[in-house]
Amino acid sequence: MADAGKKTLFEKIIDKELPAQFVYEDELCVVIKDINPAAPVHLLVIPRKRIEMLSDSKPEDQALLGHLMLVAGKVARDAGYGDAFRLVVNNGAAASQSVFHIHLHVIAGRPLSWPPG
Ligand code: 5GP
Protein backbone atom coordinates (compact mmCIF):
# COMPACT_ATOMS: atom_id res chain seq x y z
CA MET A 1 0.00 0.00 0.00
CA ALA A 2 1.13 3.55 -0.66
CA ASP A 3 2.41 5.72 2.14
CA ALA A 4 0.07 8.73 2.36
CA GLY A 5 3.00 11.14 2.74
CA LYS A 6 5.05 9.76 -0.13
CA LYS A 7 4.44 10.18 -3.84
CA THR A 8 3.41 7.10 -5.76
CA LEU A 9 5.39 6.06 -8.82
CA PHE A 10 2.60 7.44 -10.98
CA GLU A 11 2.54 10.78 -9.11
CA LYS A 12 6.25 11.10 -9.87
CA ILE A 13 5.55 10.35 -13.54
CA ILE A 14 2.65 12.83 -13.60
CA ASP A 15 4.90 15.47 -12.03
CA LYS A 16 7.60 14.65 -14.65
CA GLU A 17 10.07 13.63 -11.97
CA LEU A 18 10.37 10.24 -13.69
CA PRO A 19 10.35 9.69 -17.45
CA ALA A 20 7.48 8.06 -19.31
CA GLN A 21 6.04 8.10 -22.80
CA PHE A 22 2.93 10.26 -22.60
CA VAL A 23 0.27 9.79 -25.26
CA TYR A 24 -2.45 12.03 -23.78
CA GLU A 25 -2.88 14.54 -20.96
CA ASP A 26 -5.75 16.67 -19.72
CA GLU A 27 -6.67 18.41 -16.48
CA LEU A 28 -7.90 15.21 -14.86
CA CYS A 29 -5.66 12.43 -16.13
CA VAL A 30 -2.64 11.34 -18.12
CA VAL A 31 -2.10 8.36 -20.42
CA ILE A 32 1.32 6.74 -20.71
CA LYS A 33 2.73 3.67 -22.42
CA ASP A 34 3.25 0.75 -20.06
CA ILE A 35 6.95 0.07 -19.52
CA ASN A 36 6.38 -3.68 -19.78
CA PRO A 37 3.68 -4.03 -22.44
CA ALA A 38 1.43 -7.07 -22.42
CA ALA A 39 0.34 -6.38 -26.02
CA PRO A 40 1.38 -4.18 -28.97
CA VAL A 41 -0.79 -1.43 -27.46
CA HIS A 42 -0.63 -1.20 -23.66
CA LEU A 43 -1.56 2.15 -22.21
CA LEU A 44 -2.21 3.25 -18.65
CA VAL A 45 -4.93 5.84 -17.98
CA ILE A 46 -4.03 7.46 -14.67
CA PRO A 47 -5.98 10.14 -12.79
CA ARG A 48 -3.98 13.06 -11.44
CA LYS A 49 -5.92 12.55 -8.22
CA ARG A 50 -4.40 9.79 -6.14
CA ILE A 51 -6.89 7.05 -5.39
CA GLU A 52 -5.12 3.92 -4.19
CA MET A 53 -7.49 1.40 -5.65
CA LEU A 54 -10.90 1.21 -7.25
CA SER A 55 -12.42 -0.09 -4.05
CA ASP A 56 -11.23 3.11 -2.29
CA SER A 57 -13.08 5.38 -4.69
CA LYS A 58 -15.92 7.48 -3.32
CA PRO A 59 -19.23 8.72 -4.71
CA GLU A 60 -17.53 12.05 -5.45
CA ASP A 61 -15.14 10.21 -7.78
CA GLN A 62 -17.97 9.14 -10.07
CA ALA A 63 -17.40 11.78 -12.74
CA LEU A 64 -13.63 11.23 -12.66
CA LEU A 65 -14.01 7.47 -13.09
CA GLY A 66 -16.39 8.03 -16.00
CA HIS A 67 -13.88 10.43 -17.53
CA LEU A 68 -11.15 7.78 -17.34
CA MET A 69 -13.39 5.37 -19.27
CA LEU A 70 -14.07 7.96 -21.97
CA VAL A 71 -10.35 8.73 -22.27
CA ALA A 72 -9.59 5.00 -22.49
CA GLY A 73 -11.96 4.73 -25.45
CA LYS A 74 -10.41 7.78 -27.09
CA VAL A 75 -6.80 6.61 -26.81
CA ALA A 76 -7.79 3.13 -28.04
CA ARG A 77 -9.45 4.77 -31.06
CA ASP A 78 -6.44 7.01 -31.61
CA ALA A 79 -4.21 3.91 -31.57
CA GLY A 80 -6.41 2.32 -34.26
CA TYR A 81 -8.18 -0.17 -32.03
CA GLY A 82 -11.41 1.62 -31.15
CA ASP A 83 -13.46 -1.51 -31.81
CA ALA A 84 -11.15 -4.12 -30.25
CA PHE A 85 -9.48 -3.37 -26.97
CA ARG A 86 -9.60 -4.51 -23.38
CA LEU A 87 -9.81 -2.39 -20.25
CA VAL A 88 -8.38 -3.85 -17.04
CA VAL A 89 -8.33 -2.55 -13.49
CA ASN A 90 -6.36 -4.70 -11.07
CA ASN A 91 -7.78 -4.06 -7.61
CA GLY A 92 -5.59 -5.26 -4.76
CA ALA A 93 -2.33 -7.18 -4.55
CA ALA A 94 -4.10 -10.54 -4.86
CA ALA A 95 -5.53 -9.32 -8.17
CA SER A 96 -2.03 -8.36 -9.42
CA GLN A 97 -2.21 -4.65 -8.58
CA SER A 98 1.39 -3.49 -8.12
CA VAL A 99 1.08 0.31 -8.24
CA PHE A 100 -1.35 1.63 -5.65
CA HIS A 101 -2.58 4.60 -7.62
CA ILE A 102 -5.64 3.61 -9.60
CA HIS A 103 -5.12 3.14 -13.34
CA LEU A 104 -6.90 1.59 -16.29
CA HIS A 105 -4.91 -0.69 -18.55
CA VAL A 106 -5.87 -0.29 -22.22
CA ILE A 107 -4.68 -3.39 -24.07
CA ALA A 108 -5.00 -4.00 -27.80
CA GLY A 109 -3.26 -5.16 -30.95
CA ARG A 110 -3.39 -8.92 -30.49
CA PRO A 111 -6.15 -11.50 -30.04
CA LEU A 112 -7.56 -11.15 -26.52
CA SER A 113 -9.01 -14.41 -25.28
CA TRP A 114 -11.48 -14.87 -22.44
CA PRO A 115 -11.31 -15.54 -19.55
CA PRO A 116 -8.11 -13.63 -18.79
CA GLY A 117 -5.45 -15.24 -16.63
P1 5GP B 1 -0.78 -2.97 -11.91
O1 5GP B 1 0.01 -4.24 -11.75
O2 5GP B 1 -0.68 -2.11 -10.67
O3 5GP B 1 -2.20 -3.18 -12.36
O4 5GP B 1 -0.12 -2.19 -13.11
C1 5GP B 1 1.02 -1.43 -12.98
C2 5GP B 1 1.60 -1.29 -14.37
O5 5GP B 1 2.56 -0.26 -14.34
C3 5GP B 1 2.32 -2.56 -14.85
O6 5GP B 1 1.73 -3.00 -16.07
C4 5GP B 1 3.76 -2.11 -15.04
O7 5GP B 1 4.38 -2.68 -16.18
C5 5GP B 1 3.62 -0.61 -15.18
N1 5GP B 1 4.78 0.12 -14.70
C6 5GP B 1 5.50 -0.12 -13.56
N2 5GP B 1 6.49 0.77 -13.44
C7 5GP B 1 6.40 1.60 -14.51
C8 5GP B 1 7.17 2.73 -14.94
O8 5GP B 1 8.13 3.16 -14.30
N3 5GP B 1 6.79 3.32 -16.10
C9 5GP B 1 5.72 2.88 -16.85
N4 5GP B 1 5.44 3.53 -17.98
N5 5GP B 1 4.98 1.82 -16.47
C10 5GP B 1 5.32 1.19 -15.32
Coordinates of all heavy atoms in Angstrom, one line a residue, residues 9-10 13 32-36 42 44 90 96-99 103 105, ligand 1:
L9 N 4.7 6.1 -7.6 CA 5.4 6.1 -8.8 C 4.7 6.9 -9.9 O 5.3 7.7 -10.6 CB 5.5 4.6 -9.3 CG 6.1 4.4 -10.7 CD1 7.6 4.7 -10.7 CD2 5.9 3.0 -11.1
F10 N 3.3 6.7 -9.9 CA 2.6 7.4 -11.0 C 2.5 8.9 -10.7 O 2.5 9.7 -11.6 CB 1.2 6.8 -11.2 CG 1.2 5.5 -11.8 CD1 0.2 4.6 -11.7 CD2 2.3 5.0 -12.6 CE1 0.2 3.3 -12.3 CE2 2.4 3.8 -13.2 CZ 1.3 2.9 -13.1
I13 N 5.6 10.3 -12.1 CA 5.6 10.4 -13.5 C 4.7 11.5 -13.9 O 5.1 12.3 -14.8 CB 5.0 9.0 -14.1 CG1 6.1 8.0 -14.0 CG2 4.6 9.2 -15.6 CD1 5.7 6.6 -14.4
I32 N -0.1 7.1 -20.4 CA 1.3 6.7 -20.7 C 1.4 5.3 -21.3 O 0.5 4.5 -21.1 CB 2.3 6.8 -19.5 CG1 1.9 5.8 -18.4 CG2 2.3 8.3 -19.0 CD1 2.9 5.7 -17.2
K33 N 2.5 5.0 -22.0 CA 2.7 3.7 -22.4 C 3.3 2.8 -21.2 O 4.1 3.3 -20.5 CB 3.7 3.7 -23.6 CG 3.2 4.3 -24.8 CD 4.2 4.1 -26.0 CE 3.6 4.8 -27.2 NZ 4.5 4.6 -28.4
D34 N 2.7 1.6 -21.1 CA 3.2 0.8 -20.1 C 4.7 0.4 -20.4 O 5.1 0.1 -21.5 CB 2.4 -0.5 -20.0 CG 2.6 -1.2 -18.7 OD1 3.7 -1.8 -18.5 OD2 1.7 -1.3 -17.8
I35 N 5.5 0.4 -19.3 CA 7.0 0.1 -19.5 C 7.2 -1.4 -19.9 O 8.2 -1.7 -20.4 CB 7.7 0.5 -18.2 CG1 9.2 0.8 -18.6 CG2 7.6 -0.6 -17.1 CD1 9.9 1.4 -17.4
N36 N 6.2 -2.2 -19.5 CA 6.4 -3.7 -19.8 C 5.1 -4.2 -20.5 O 4.3 -4.8 -19.9 CB 6.6 -4.4 -18.4 CG 6.8 -5.9 -18.6 OD1 7.3 -6.3 -19.6 ND2 6.5 -6.6 -17.5
H42 N -0.4 -1.0 -25.1 CA -0.6 -1.2 -23.7 C -0.4 0.2 -23.0 O 0.7 0.6 -22.8 CB 0.3 -2.3 -23.0 CG 0.0 -2.6 -21.6 ND1 0.5 -3.7 -21.0 CD2 -0.9 -2.0 -20.7 CE1 0.0 -3.7 -19.7 NE2 -0.8 -2.7 -19.5
L44 N -1.7 3.1 -20.0 CA -2.2 3.3 -18.7 C -2.9 4.6 -18.5 O -2.3 5.6 -18.8 CB -1.1 3.2 -17.6 CG -0.2 1.9 -17.7 CD1 1.0 2.0 -16.8 CD2 -1.1 0.7 -17.3
N90 N -6.7 -3.7 -12.1 CA -6.4 -4.7 -11.1 C -6.6 -4.0 -9.7 O -6.1 -3.0 -9.5 CB -4.9 -5.1 -11.2 CG -4.6 -5.8 -12.5 OD1 -5.5 -6.6 -13.0 ND2 -3.5 -5.6 -13.2
S96 N -3.2 -8.8 -8.6 CA -2.0 -8.4 -9.4 C -1.9 -6.8 -9.5 O -1.1 -6.4 -10.4 CB -2.0 -8.9 -10.8 OG -1.9 -10.3 -10.8
Q97 N -2.5 -6.1 -8.6 CA -2.2 -4.6 -8.6 C -0.8 -4.5 -8.0 O -0.5 -5.0 -6.9 CB -3.2 -3.9 -7.8 CG -3.0 -2.4 -7.8 CD -4.1 -1.5 -7.1 OE1 -5.0 -2.1 -6.5 NE2 -3.9 -0.2 -7.2
S98 N 0.0 -3.7 -8.6 CA 1.4 -3.5 -8.1 C 1.7 -2.0 -7.8 O 2.5 -1.7 -7.0 CB 2.4 -4.0 -9.1 OG 2.3 -3.4 -10.4
V99 N 0.9 -1.1 -8.5 CA 1.1 0.3 -8.2 C -0.2 0.8 -7.6 O -1.3 0.7 -8.3 CB 1.4 1.1 -9.5 CG1 1.6 2.6 -9.2 CG2 2.7 0.6 -10.2
H103 N -5.4 3.0 -11.9 CA -5.1 3.1 -13.3 C -5.9 2.1 -14.1 O -6.1 1.0 -13.7 CB -3.6 3.0 -13.6 CG -3.0 1.8 -13.0 ND1 -2.7 1.7 -11.7 CD2 -2.6 0.6 -13.6 CE1 -2.2 0.5 -11.4 NE2 -2.1 -0.2 -12.5
H105 N -5.7 -0.2 -17.5 CA -4.9 -0.7 -18.6 C -5.8 -0.7 -19.8 O -6.9 -1.3 -19.8 CB -4.5 -2.1 -18.3 CG -3.6 -2.3 -17.1 ND1 -2.2 -2.5 -17.2 CD2 -3.9 -2.3 -15.7 CE1 -1.7 -2.7 -15.9 NE2 -2.7 -2.6 -15.1
Ligands
5GP1 P1 -0.8 -3.0 -11.9 O1 0.0 -4.2 -11.7 O2 -0.7 -2.1 -10.7 O3 -2.2 -3.2 -12.4 O4 -0.1 -2.2 -13.1 C1 1.0 -1.4 -13.0 C2 1.6 -1.3 -14.4 O5 2.6 -0.3 -14.3 C3 2.3 -2.6 -14.9 O6 1.7 -3.0 -16.1 C4 3.8 -2.1 -15.0 O7 4.4 -2.7 -16.2 C5 3.6 -0.6 -15.2 N1 4.8 0.1 -14.7 C6 5.5 -0.1 -13.6 N2 6.5 0.8 -13.4 C7 6.4 1.6 -14.5 C8 7.2 2.7 -14.9 O8 8.1 3.2 -14.3 N3 6.8 3.3 -16.1 C9 5.7 2.9 -16.8 N4 5.4 3.5 -18.0 N5 5.0 1.8 -16.5 C10 5.3 1.2 -15.3

